[in-house]
Amino acid sequence: ATKTQPNATVYGSAVVVGNYLYVGYVNNSNSFRGGLMRYDITAQNPIGVDVVPEGIDSFFNLTYRNGFIYAGSYYRNRIIKVDLNNNHAVTDAVTNVSNASGCAFDSVGNMYITSPDGMKLWKYTTGGQLIDTGLTFTDYAFDVEIDWSHVLGINRTSCVERVKTNPRCIRGN
């Protein structure tokens, strides 16, 4: 692949949607500025295209769901979503989550959000309403994924912790 952003760092994951690889990045000089690049993975020599130009927001730990790419906006305390079917419009999915860095969805659409500095895992409805303040950790919780058996994998400083999505198991301690 060619065309990368000068003075930028890729944070967290990339996500494949159809024939495209989406990569979020953050400007090294100004962490409030970032963007989203797309690569056609069917091309012999994929070239990155800025689908959300630098300056809109920071993009941490990408997740895809139902036509949207979700990303943590760590320094602005929110989860943002990019509409892949509407000219890559960027809107807020959830706000007021201290240093939101990543998210994942369960089978009914509940969103789980990590907050490294808060050392928390939060649970929200599909409409962005807080359900549960979730788990508190003794170290940073950077990102979260949900596997086929409905188990959360929380990427922490010291380990990857596995937790069932059963509501009784998501209560904070």
Side-chain angles (χ1 to χ4, degrees):
T2 59
K3 189 176 189 252
T4 57
Q5 286 297 331
N7 194 31
T9 301
V10 173
Y11 275 95
S13 59
V15 64
V16 174
V17 180
N19 292 329
Y20 296 104
L21 171 69
Y22 290 87
V23 179
Y25 63 90
V26 176
N27 183 297
N28 289 334
S29 300
N30 181 348
S31 55
F32 289 100
R33 296 173 53 94
L36 184 66
M37 295 191 77
R38 179 183 71 195
Y39 296 85
D40 182 345
I41 57 178
T42 63
Q44 185 173 358
N45 188 19
I47 296 175
V49 175
D50 269 317
V51 294
V52 178
E54 181 180 322
I56 298 294
D57 220 318
S58 56
F59 288 81
F60 289 83
N61 300 320
L62 307 180
T63 299
Y64 174 78
R65 179 174 168 81
N66 296 337
F68 293 93
I69 291 178
Y70 292 81
S73 178
Y74 181 84
Y75 298 106
R76 292 192 171 133
N77 302 316
R78 60 188 172 163
I79 296 290
I80 55 177
K81 63 181 180 178
V82 179
D83 189 341
L84 299 184
N85 300 312
N86 186 18
N87 296 320
H88 302 99
V90 179
T91 57
D92 291 342
V94 175
T95 58
N96 299 319
V97 177
S98 177
N99 303 114
S101 66
C103 68
F105 294 88
D106 64 20
S107 60
V108 296
N110 294 316
M111 183 188 305
Y112 299 84
I113 300 174
T114 52
S115 170
D117 293 348
M119 299 183 211
K120 298 281 282 180
L121 176 73
W122 305 84
K123 183 178 178 184
Y124 285 81
T125 66
T126 54
Q129 299 300 311
L130 179 65
I131 296 173
D132 198 335
T133 55
L135 299 171
T136 301
F137 302 103
T138 57
D139 59 1
Y140 301 120
F142 293 104
D143 197 12
V144 59
E145 298 293 332
I146 298 180
D147 70 14
W148 61 271
S149 63
H150 310 286
V151 172
L152 295 166
I154 300 125
N155 180 1
R156 295 175 42 207
T157 304
S158 59
C159 66
V160 173
E161 184 166 336
R162 295 172 48 82
V163 178
K164 287 226 179 249
T165 57
N166 179 317
R168 291 186 306 266
C169 299
I170 298 301
R171 300 286 177 229
N173 40 346

